[in-house]
Amino acid sequence: MTQTTLFEVNNQLTVFHQWIGSSEPPFPASSMPAFRQVGEKQLPNPVLCMAWSPKRDLIALANTTGELLLHRLASFQRVWSLPPSEYTGKEITALAWRPDGKILAFSLGDTKQVVLCDVEKAEVLHMFPTQSSVTCMNWMEVVEENSVLGSFHNAEDESKLFLPELPTLPKSYSTTSKIFSEEKSDEILNLLGEVRLNILVLGGDAGSVELYAYGMYKIATLGKVAGTCRSLSLSSDLRSLSLITEVQSADSISEICYVQLDTGLLSDCLPEVTRMARKFTHISTLLQYLHLSLTCMCEAWEDILMQMDLRLTKFVQEKNTSTQVQDEFLDLLLWGQSSPELQALLMNQLTVKGLKKLGQSIESSYSSIQKLVISHLQSGSEALLYQLSEVRGMSLWKQKFERLGLDSEAIDGAITAVGSFSLKANELLQVIDKSMKNFKAFFRWLYVAMLRMCDEHVPPELNKMTQKDIAFVADFLSEHFSENEELFDRKGKYFNVERVGQYLKDEDEDLVSPPNTKGNQWLKFLQESTHLKESPLLFPSYPQKSLHFVKRMMESVIELCLQKPAEVIGKSVKQAVFFPLYAVPDNLEKIPRLFQLPSLWNDKKGKMHCVVFCMPEISPSKLYLLRKGTDPNRHVPNSFMSIDLSHYLDSTDDDGVAAHCLDARFYDDEMLTVVLQGSEDQNSRRVLAQVSLASSLSFETEFHWEPSLRLDQQHSTIPCQGLVLGNQWRELENMKAQFVAVNGIRKVACVLSANLRHIRVFEMDVEDEDDEGADSQNASADQEGLETTISSQGPVEENLESEGESRVQEGDMFQKSEELLQSQEAL
């Protein structure tokens, strides 16, 4: 190496060291972006809410049409879309991911429902109604470790030792509600997720707050909070719940307030709450399983009904003789003779081939219903009885579970209701068995009679009929062919197929043909016994009611059993903190509610609730930070502070650019991601930046809150810290950026424009060593994605190409600087 080369190296290293020691880089800031853009897209419909997956590089978006979209980080590629449905709703108001990233929850304002969606297949797995329209939601996972929880986790699968695995529902049926797809029937059981407790918190427009364990079982219904919930966050140690509410004051001014609710009962009884919630979630899942099983049975029965309508019902309606159909069939059965009209209808309408096919179809459908009852309804009922019996045992341990509201009497009622449902399912099996025998005997006899009418050969094995077979045929004729008005089909047809179908009709009316219990020795013994007649050990059978009726009764009793713990736990929650922060500016009404500040964050390590917000009418260039301990009685130093962004780019330059914050989100416990806007003369300049809170948390001055005043009325006494961003920022060119969504775990950010349609996606923590190939590859991927979405915007594409080239050049400059350092160390 020559002397000239060493001299040049030393000069460049001196410049590099000077830059490290100063707050100002040696290069123009715009040529050194801190974050790497990996995708950009113009969307056809405005976005109302967006949320990053906690586990994968996926972001969920909901737009104004009610469509739910899932996109990948790379090139913002769409994974799937879930269109709005009249069965779920068309007005999505909030999004939340389950902590394991496998389930996505979204609320619907028009139908007041919450839907749980499978992320892998874009399928609706579960949905439930809410008290009021949900305005915000938060899904958190408990991180507190407890020695008692360990033994519970190990005992989680004990039920598998005593119960058979629930069989998969048949995929040939699609449910009548059209909510669930054909291929997901077995995935109902995947709703349980991990054993570790996670809670979905819902906030409503009427101040209602509900907590759902594992996103399914309502574990607490809190008393109404003042105002409308804007955002909320449950601490991971379950000690408290933070809310941001909008309250109408006495002088008709809307105020943004911070509320902290003490949820100490959940924290103190974490093992008991986890065990109870897990059991009740199992129960909710089994109820869903039984519902789908019964739906499949109804559809199998509809297949039979359709075949009957096409053949036998049409045959009966077209009969033009004066005698009854039943009498003509009886004449054919007893004397072997039929009227010309009956013979013509049998040979022309039904035909030998059609009769054989119809008999096989009916037998197959009956067999399907029978298998569903045995393998699904009975297995699900047994599992339900097992889980309820476990819960009853828990309720008897009053020292542990009485304070959570477990009532053994209510659970006994639920066990009795499940027993009645099992009895009704067993009764249906007996009816199916008898009907199948009658159907087989009838079709076999009619098939032989029609062969004789055609003068065809009758197989010897079919030619023999016993007295029992004749009785089966007579029973079939008396049950299914009648002109008695009480036995008419609902559509007025003269063919009655109510014997099995009456059990599957979702009606409150009594059965048209209840089972004949005459001569039943067991029932006679019970009626004559004084002690057994009213015994609680015997399940009531409800002989006059359908299977659907008994199922609905069972669900209502179990729902009543599940409600009491939610009421008891809800009443234990008390308000611990109430801070009125500031009055709502008039111009915020146009901003979507889910994008409005304040933003909440739960610092798990520090066990604190953090709130970041702005007061643009009071101090537009300041960002405010509020911190409260998850334990309401714990004092947190520097609980109130503000960050001054007046000169965020260069603190030494007299011409520094004043800015105000458009949006701010917690990137992690020690970092904020903000979108800043320049002063009025530079209104078009938007900046994405990372703000470190480490320097802001070192105040020695404490803020003393005046309870009678709002925070904006005493803002001048809040400790303030000036801020210079250094190199942790990037100017967002050709974009009127307004909102941001971040995920510090995945180190990604998504910026949304003011018109809610233009999106850019960034990797926030990219190492400087990234080679040129990766940068150029991402730039080309961005360009390809843009060409498919905004092909008509030529100037924007050119600007993005130039941005990609400048990022490659910047990577080269950093790489050369590092090579210089390495060469100097080698020398």
Side-chain angles (χ1 to χ4, degrees):
M1 185 178 288
T2 63
Q3 268 190 336
T4 307
T5 306
L6 285 172
F7 181 76
E8 290 173 353
V9 168
N10 286 327
N11 280 340
Q12 291 175 349
L13 287 172
T14 303
V15 173
F16 190 76
H17 284 297
Q18 288 174 352
W19 167 55
I20 293 176
S22 67
S23 62
E24 189 175 343
F27 317 112
S30 60
S31 66
M32 191 177 56
F35 324 120
R36 183 170 65 184
Q37 180 178 324
V38 294
E40 182 169 8
K41 186 162 288 189
Q42 289 278 3
L43 300 175
N45 299 300
V47 174
L48 289 180
C49 43
M50 51 186 180
W52 282 102
S53 167
K55 295 293 184 181
R56 289 180 285 183
D57 297 335
L58 298 171
I59 186 170
L61 308 173
N63 59 30
T64 53
T65 66
E67 186 180 21
L68 184 64
L69 307 169
L70 192 70
H71 286 262
R72 294 188 190 280
L73 171 67
S75 302
F76 206 68
Q77 178 187 4
R78 181 187 292 188
V79 181
W80 52 253
S81 64
L82 189 66
S85 167
E86 60 180 355
Y87 300 101
T88 55
K90 301 180 181 180
E91 183 187 337
I92 297 179
T93 57
L95 293 176
W97 288 83
R98 196 167 74 179
D100 62 2
K102 295 180 180 179
I103 302 290
L104 180 63
F106 59 95
S107 58
L108 297 144
D110 50 346
T111 57
K112 294 184 180 179
Q113 293 188 109
V114 171
V115 179
L116 304 185
C117 173
D118 182 9
V119 176
E120 292 292 335
K121 299 183 179 180
E123 293 178 344
V124 174
L125 296 180
H126 182 63
M127 55 193 302
F128 56 87
T130 56
Q131 293 181 352
S132 59
S133 180
V134 175
T135 54
C136 54
M137 58 171 61
N138 166 245
W139 207 334
M140 57 72 64
E141 185 177 43
V142 176
V143 297
E144 282 287 302
E145 293 296 338
N146 192 300
S147 58
V148 183
L149 284 177
S151 61
F152 166 62
H153 293 169
N154 296 332
E156 168 66 12
D157 295 327
E158 280 185 355
S159 60
K160 295 181 179 179
L161 301 175
F162 307 106
L163 295 171
E165 186 176 351
L166 291 177
T168 302
L169 290 169
K171 298 181 180 180
S172 57
Y173 299 109
S174 59
T175 61
T176 54
S177 62
K178 305 301 180 187
I179 296 175
F180 303 96
S181 69
E182 299 178 4
E183 299 179 356
K184 71 131 243 17
S185 55
D186 57 330
E187 296 175 6
I188 290 296
L189 302 179
N190 295 336
L191 281 168
L192 289 172
E194 299 177 359
V195 178
R196 182 185 294 275
L197 179 63
N198 58 74
I199 297 179
L200 176 64
V201 190
L202 310 177
D205 54 4
S208 62
V209 180
E210 298 175 328
L211 277 63
Y212 286 82
Y214 302 102
M216 291 187 64
Y217 162 59
K218 186 192 292 186
I219 200 170
T221 303
L222 310 188
K224 288 191 176 181
V225 181
T228 298
C229 295
R230 290 259 298 258
S231 60
L232 42 76
S233 175
L234 181 63
S235 65
S236 58
D237 58 6
L238 291 183
R239 289 190 173 275
S240 58
L241 171 65
S242 281
L243 300 103
I244 299 296
T245 62
E246 185 175 335
V247 183
Q248 288 288 122
S249 62
D251 50 358
S252 299
I253 297 177
S254 295
E255 296 179 346
I256 299 299
C257 303
Y258 171 76
V259 182
Q260 188 172 352
L261 303 177
D262 186 352
T263 56
L265 180 61
L266 292 175
S267 176
D268 296 340
C269 303
L270 176 59
E272 293 80 14
V273 168
T274 303
R275 183 179 289 269
M276 182 181 72
R278 192 69 177 174
K279 288 297 178 186
F280 280 167
T281 308
H282 270 291
I283 292 170
S284 300
T285 306
L286 289 170
L287 287 175
Q288 181 94 340
Y289 179 84
L290 291 176
H291 171 75
L292 289 179
S293 301
L294 194 54
T295 303
C296 291
M297 291 168 55
C298 292
E299 289 172 358
W301 170 248
E302 286 173 1
D303 291 343
I304 298 178
L305 196 60
M306 183 177 63
Q307 294 291 335
M308 293 289 193
D309 285 345
L310 289 176
R311 306 296 176 88
L312 294 181
T313 305
K314 185 177 180 181
F315 155 64
V316 173
Q317 284 182 330
E318 293 183 357
K319 181 186 72 67
N320 55 7
T321 59
S322 58
T323 56
Q324 292 187 9
V325 175
Q326 183 181 5
D327 294 339
E328 294 193 13
F329 272 112
L330 284 174
D331 289 342
L332 180 62
L333 175 64
L334 295 176
W335 315 113
Q337 296 178 352
S338 63
S339 64
E341 292 83 3
L342 178 61
Q343 186 171 351
L345 287 172
L346 285 174
M347 303 308 297
N348 298 332
Q349 294 290 342
L350 204 55
T351 73
V352 176
K353 186 177 181 181
L355 177 69
K356 190 174 182 180
K357 186 175 180 182
L358 177 61
Q360 291 174 347
S361 175
I362 291 176
E363 185 177 356
S364 174
S365 296
Y366 267 132
S367 178
S368 298
I369 296 176
Q370 195 174 38
K371 289 177 181 176
L372 284 168
V373 174
I374 295 172
S375 62
H376 295 76
L377 280 193
Q378 289 189 338
S379 298
S381 300
E382 290 172 2
L384 200 53
L385 277 174
Y386 173 86
Q387 299 294 347
L388 283 170
S389 300
E390 291 260 295
V391 175
R392 186 180 184 279
M394 291 159 52
S395 69
L396 296 177
W397 193 357
K398 297 187 181 297
Q399 181 185 359
K400 293 283 187 180
F401 293 96
E402 187 175 26
R403 59 190 302 198
L404 295 179
L406 274 185
D407 185 3
S408 57
E409 293 184 3
I411 299 170
D412 286 338
I415 291 175
T416 301
V418 176
S420 297
F421 179 76
S422 297
L423 287 178
K424 184 58 67 172
N426 190 57
E427 180 184 310
L428 176 59
L429 279 179
Q430 296 176 3
V431 173
I432 292 174
D433 184 61
K434 183 179 179 182
S435 296
M436 285 183 70
K437 291 178 181 177
N438 292 345
F439 262 114
K440 285 182 179 179
F442 173 75
F443 281 105
R444 178 183 175 184
W445 162 75
L446 192 58
Y447 179 68
V448 172
M450 292 177 68
L451 287 177
R452 287 173 178 165
M453 290 178 189
C454 302
D455 295 328
E456 293 186 9
H457 172 68
V458 179
E461 64 272 11
L462 297 179
N463 205 14
K464 296 178 182 179
M465 280 195 70
T466 64
Q467 190 66 31
K468 185 179 291 186
D469 293 335
I470 295 175
F472 284 151
V473 174
D475 288 342
F476 180 88
L477 293 175
S478 63
E479 289 177 2
H480 293 83
F481 292 94
S482 174
E483 293 189 359
N484 186 348
E485 291 184 359
E486 294 181 0
L487 298 180
F488 280 5
D489 188 72
R490 295 290 181 263
K491 298 179 181 178
K493 298 172 182 177
Y494 292 96
F495 182 73
N496 177 42
V497 288
E498 290 286 328
R499 177 62 72 180
V500 173
Q502 62 184 348
Y503 285 86
L504 304 178
K505 288 189 176 181
D506 195 2
E507 299 174 355
D508 293 335
E509 300 177 7
D510 291 347
L511 296 178
V512 177
S513 304
N516 186 6
T517 58
K518 291 181 180 179
N520 189 310
Q521 298 296 325
W522 169 249
L523 291 178
K524 183 179 179 181
F525 171 72
L526 288 182
Q527 292 299 323
E528 294 174 353
S529 173
T530 307
H531 302 288
L532 290 179
K533 185 186 299 184
E534 304 296 334
S535 173
L537 300 176
L538 299 176
F539 300 140
S541 59
Y542 304 103
Q544 302 294 327
K545 297 299 181 182
S546 69
L547 184 66
H548 254 295
F549 179 89
V550 178
K551 181 185 84 75
R552 283 191 283 111
M553 184 190 68
M554 175 188 70
E555 289 173 341
S556 62
V557 173
I558 293 178
E559 181 67 23
L560 191 64
C561 168
L562 302 186
Q563 279 179 356
K564 190 169 181 181
E567 295 173 0
V568 172
I569 295 174
K571 289 178 181 177
S572 72
V573 177
K574 305 297 180 184
Q575 180 174 296
V577 176
F578 182 83
F579 289 150
L581 300 180
Y582 59 90
V584 179
D586 296 334
N587 60 351
L588 283 183
E589 295 299 325
K590 299 178 181 179
I591 300 177
R593 185 173 298 276
L594 288 171
F595 292 137
Q596 294 177 14
L597 290 176
S599 174
L600 284 170
W601 175 260
N602 176 220
D603 183 350
K604 298 179 179 63
K605 293 181 180 178
K607 295 187 177 182
M608 290 185 297
H609 292 288
C610 303
V611 189
V612 60
F613 58 95
C614 297
M615 295 187 287
E617 293 188 343
I618 304 299
S619 49
S621 62
K622 287 186 179 180
L623 197 60
Y624 294 88
L625 185 65
L626 163 64
R627 302 191 306 157
K628 293 293 295 181
T630 56
D631 183 354
N633 300 320
R634 172 189 160 208
H635 172 71
V636 176
N638 304 322
S639 58
F640 274 107
M641 65 195 71
S642 61
I643 301 171
D644 188 2
L645 302 169
S646 297
H647 304 282
Y648 64 96
L649 293 184
D650 185 0
S651 60
T652 62
D653 190 353
D654 294 335
D655 297 328
V657 181
H660 68 270
C661 184
L662 299 176
D663 197 11
R665 304 289 156 178
F666 283 92
Y667 185 75
D668 53 32
D669 295 339
E670 301 175 354
M671 191 79 70
L672 286 175
T673 303
V674 297
V675 176
L676 304 177
Q677 179 181 352
S679 57
E680 293 182 1
D681 57 337
Q682 296 184 348
N683 192 29
S684 61
R685 187 176 193 185
R686 307 293 171 101
V687 169
L688 177 66
Q690 296 282 70
V691 176
S692 175
L693 300 176
S695 60
S696 304
L697 300 178
S698 59
F699 283 110
E700 296 181 0
T701 307
E702 285 287 339
F703 172 72
H704 298 284
W705 180 274
E706 180 60 42
S708 60
L709 299 176
R710 283 198 314 261
L711 182 65
D712 58 359
Q713 296 170 342
Q714 47 186 325
H715 69 94
S716 59
T717 60
I718 299 176
C720 182
Q721 172 75 38
L723 178 73
V724 178
L725 298 179
N727 67 337
Q728 289 296 304
W729 65 278
R730 174 183 181 133
E731 185 170 351
L732 301 171
E733 299 175 351
N734 302 313
M735 182 182 188
K736 196 176 180 182
Q738 185 83 22
F739 311 109
V740 66
V742 296
N743 183 350
I745 299 175
R746 307 301 302 174
K747 304 184 187 307
V748 289
C750 180
V751 180
L752 182 64
S753 65
N755 66 2
L756 307 179
R757 294 185 178 184
H758 187 185
I759 277 183
R760 286 185 186 173
V761 189
F762 296 91
E763 287 183 349
M764 303 296 287
D765 193 11
V766 179
E767 296 293 335
D768 293 338
E769 300 84 58
D770 285 350
D771 58 355
E772 180 180 348
D775 286 340
S776 60
Q777 184 178 1
N778 279 297
S780 61
D782 297 344
Q783 188 65 23
E784 289 175 4
L786 280 173
E787 286 174 357
T788 60
T789 55
I790 49 174
S791 57
S792 60
Q793 299 184 6
V796 177
E797 292 177 0
E798 293 174 2
N799 290 331
L800 285 170
E801 284 181 2
S802 62
E803 275 188 31
E805 293 173 0
S806 65
R807 286 201 298 273
V808 174
Q809 294 173 1
E810 292 155 17
D812 288 341
M813 296 178 70
F814 277 112
Q815 193 170 7
K816 290 178 181 178
S817 301
E818 290 179 3
E819 289 174 355
L820 291 173
L821 283 172
Q822 292 172 0
S823 62
Q824 188 188 37
E825 289 174 0
L827 287 172

